[in-house]
Amino acid sequence: MIFTFNRYLQPGWKFNVLPSANIEFATCNYHPEWLPLQENISLAEDKHYETEAARNADTGFRAWNRGVLTWSNKQTINKITALPKPTLKDEYAFTFKYGGKHWATYVLLRRLLTLHNPFAEIAAYSNGLRIKRYNRCTDPLLRQDYHTFKSPLVQSNPFISVIIPTLNRYKYLKDVLNDLEQQDYKNFEVIIVDQSEPFNADFYKQFKLNLNVVHQKEKLLWTARNNAVKMSKADYLLFFDDDSRVDADWITHHLKSLDYFKVDMSAGVSLAVIGAKVPESYNYFRWADQFDSGNALVKREVFRKIGMFDLNFNKQSMGDGEFGIRAYLNGIRSISNPYAKRIHLKVSDGGLREIGHWDGFRPKKWFAPKPIPSVLYLFKKHYPQKLYREAILMGFMLSNVSYKNKRKNSMLVLSMFLMVIKSPLLFIQFLRAKSRADKMLAGGDQIEYLPQTNTI
């Protein structure tokens, strides 16, 4: 991403990081000569920018957010990033356009506090005050031909493994399995790794499904998912959570999108009943910027190429986030799929709430490490120092109110205020998290690969 100020707005966005190898990968970067837009659409240049590099970068960013699927390799991106950099006015223009006045003000304060030239910063900020915030999801590509597309892959009826780890959630798992019974795609098995106490084998007798139930005594989520991957003989693995609801065409849309876009992963959107607002981008296809292990279809070959889930995340959070960034950095293409949606109930009992932490910045105890050490481990492992620092700072700023209040703008302002008040405690929590994360990094990852038979 050529705009360096995006690190203040989206520090954890994986497209801020470029793969190190010269492989073909999904990108939001753009140059009219070296990287044409694949859908042959035209986007007018934004005249608010002073430099050609900024105008091209803005075009690429708008196209990405509309659902244009551009990809490139490191050699082409190096040509783009070698162009003259956007000016300070360009950077603030980008911030005002995509973040709005409040976030632009935050960026100004951050830069003044870090001793950047106050006259240059204030002048560039003032220049951007006239720029109205832009809706990133304006005029998305709706791809109407997707609905009439007769997928050869769906028609070939490949075998699929639906993988569900569960822990003390039989009440919700019943609805999950009932939804799977209603699927219009039938050639699938359900691998359930049940970590419940007490384990109820009779529970599964009521369902008319091809069930493969394994009782795992250790309460380890990522071990459970990896064991299910190794058990499966299918070429397509569909990851699902035990507190979700889906429509009858859920599997079909996951499989169809792989075929339509010729990608390796279908990242279904998750509509949470609590927490942050549902993004407008969940209504159309685009490159996926996150991997949700509760709703994603993955080709088996992916686990041969990049390995399975990192077991360092057992009893911690963001194991799926690490898998997603690792896939992207290795050239795995993933599409955000609006039709393979799920309702995520995020129930208050069972699951990660019993064996660890389900929210990386909201530990259960006052003096517990914050963020969860695995969060620092992820960012230190894959992100440069500037992005790592900004991602952790933003996490602290936005996590001082309850998860259910994330939708309210007033609560976000309160959260930032509380961060200042709680700063001595937060510093102690951070040091504890950093100490454990450094030990995780020193010990190396715990990633097992499926046997290599062929490559993507």
Side-chain angles (χ1 to χ4, degrees):
M1 185 67 193
I2 200 166
F3 288 106
T4 61
F5 277 19
N6 198 46
R7 72 177 185 266
Y8 299 118
L9 304 180
Q10 296 177 283
W13 195 47
K14 68 182 183 183
F15 292 94
N16 287 324
V17 186
L18 292 177
S20 57
N22 191 26
I23 56 177
E24 201 171 64
F25 57 90
T27 183
C28 68
N29 287 277
Y30 167 73
H31 188 280
E33 294 181 15
W34 304 323
L35 199 57
L37 298 177
Q38 302 300 318
E39 275 77 9
N40 297 317
I41 68 168
S42 59
L43 290 172
E45 287 188 344
D46 190 329
K47 301 303 182 182
H48 289 115
Y49 297 108
E50 294 184 318
T51 63
E52 179 187 3
R55 289 191 290 272
N56 287 337
D58 179 81
T59 298
F61 190 67
R62 276 185 290 143
W64 187 94
N65 280 285
R66 282 184 58 184
V68 176
L69 305 182
T70 302
W71 57 88
S72 186
N73 56 37
K74 190 69 180 293
Q75 183 179 7
T76 302
I77 299 302
N78 283 342
K79 290 182 180 179
I80 294 173
T81 54
L83 294 171
K85 305 302 181 189
T87 64
L88 189 61
K89 288 184 179 179
D90 287 339
E91 295 281 7
Y92 272 104
F94 173 86
T95 306
F96 272 99
K97 183 174 181 178
Y98 295 104
K101 184 177 179 179
H102 289 89
W103 279 105
T105 303
Y106 162 74
V107 171
L108 174 64
L109 294 175
R110 284 277 290 107
R111 292 181 64 80
L112 292 178
L113 289 172
T114 49
L115 304 181
H116 288 82
N117 185 328
F119 300 104
E121 297 291 331
I122 293 173
Y125 171 88
S126 300
N127 184 73
L129 285 169
R130 58 193 172 89
I131 299 175
K132 294 182 179 180
R133 187 171 184 178
Y134 177 81
N135 182 354
R136 302 184 188 201
C137 302
T138 297
D139 194 23
L141 291 178
L142 298 180
R143 306 179 189 276
Q144 298 295 344
D145 60 329
Y146 171 83
H147 302 286
T148 58
F149 175 64
K150 303 296 182 183
S151 168
L153 179 59
V154 173
Q155 293 173 0
S156 70
N157 199 37
F159 187 57
I160 295 173
S161 291
V162 179
I163 293 173
I164 306 174
T166 188
L167 171 61
N168 295 339
R169 282 184 175 166
Y170 290 120
K171 177 173 63 174
Y172 306 102
L173 185 60
K174 181 177 181 180
D175 289 334
V176 168
L177 298 179
N178 284 335
D179 285 349
L180 292 178
E181 284 182 321
Q182 302 304 315
Q183 291 298 300
D184 56 18
Y185 190 89
K186 301 298 183 183
N187 192 24
F188 67 93
E189 66 173 346
V190 183
I191 300 177
I192 298 178
V193 183
D194 193 334
Q195 303 156 83
S196 302
E197 287 185 5
F199 171 63
N200 184 4
D202 291 336
F203 166 80
Y204 297 99
K205 295 178 181 179
Q206 62 186 296
F207 302 103
K208 296 179 181 179
L209 289 165
N210 180 6
L211 287 174
N212 188 349
V213 181
V214 177
H215 180 212
Q216 178 179 292
K217 293 185 178 180
E218 306 99 335
K219 294 177 176 58
L220 301 172
L221 174 62
W222 303 105
T223 294
R225 286 199 170 107
N226 282 355
N227 286 341
V229 170
K230 289 184 283 187
M231 289 171 56
S232 170
K233 303 300 181 184
D235 290 328
Y236 300 91
L237 294 90
L238 181 48
F239 294 90
F240 200 21
D241 273 349
D242 59 1
D243 61 344
S244 304
R245 302 301 306 272
V246 293
D247 295 332
D249 55 3
W250 176 65
I251 294 178
T252 298
H253 279 301
H254 266 305
L255 200 58
K256 182 179 178 180
S257 68
L258 287 189
D259 198 11
Y260 180 85
F261 290 101
K262 307 304 179 188
V263 294
D264 310 304
M265 301 195 303
S266 167
V269 299
S270 294
L271 311 178
V273 296
I274 60 172
K277 297 178 182 178
V278 176
E280 290 182 60
S281 60
Y282 280 16
N283 294 315
Y284 58 92
F285 291 107
R286 63 172 187 161
W287 287 132
D289 51 5
Q290 60 184 355
F291 177 84
D292 181 354
S293 57
N295 185 15
L297 180 65
V298 183
K299 288 182 178 179
R300 186 176 188 83
E301 287 89 345
V302 170
F303 297 102
R304 296 189 179 111
K305 183 174 182 179
I306 71 169
M308 293 181 282
F309 299 106
D310 188 341
L311 297 184
N312 276 324
F313 290 86
N314 272 329
K315 296 192 175 182
Q316 301 190 70
S317 62
M318 293 189 73
D320 44 3
E322 192 280 333
F323 181 83
I325 183 67
R326 178 160 33 104
Y328 160 70
L329 292 174
N330 282 277
I332 303 299
R333 296 182 190 173
S334 176
I335 197 77
S336 177
N337 191 337
Y339 299 110
K341 62 181 181 296
R342 66 157 173 162
I343 304 297
H344 191 190
L345 302 179
K346 293 194 174 182
V347 298
S348 59
D349 55 299
L352 267 177
R353 289 153 184 77
E354 293 196 14
I355 65 174
H357 307 280
W358 65 281
D359 187 302
F361 281 88
R362 289 177 175 81
K364 295 179 179 180
K365 298 180 180 179
W366 274 87
F367 289 95
K370 181 176 181 175
I372 308 306
S374 60
V375 175
L376 294 181
Y377 169 78
L378 182 157
F379 283 109
K380 280 196 167 188
K381 179 179 177 182
H382 292 299
Y383 287 75
Q385 179 67 20
K386 285 185 177 180
L387 291 176
Y388 156 76
R389 184 177 63 239
E390 295 298 335
I392 300 307
L393 177 61
M394 182 171 288
F396 273 113
M397 285 196 310
L398 303 181
S399 64
N400 296 297
V401 294
S402 64
Y403 189 84
K404 66 180 180 180
N405 285 320
K406 284 177 64 176
R407 294 180 186 268
K408 302 176 182 178
N409 291 331
S410 60
M411 290 293 101
L412 295 181
V413 174
L414 174 62
S415 182
M416 294 183 189
F417 174 74
L418 290 174
M419 177 185 168
V420 177
I421 301 299
K422 296 166 57 178
S423 57
L425 170 63
L426 295 177
F427 184 67
I428 294 172
Q429 290 180 294
F430 171 75
L431 290 180
R432 296 189 67 187
K434 183 177 181 300
S435 175
R436 297 186 188 184
D438 288 343
K439 290 179 182 179
M440 293 169 65
L441 287 163
D445 57 40
Q446 297 185 44
I447 299 173
E448 183 180 356
Y449 289 72
L450 286 182
Q452 294 285 343
T453 58
N454 46 62
T455 59
I456 294 175

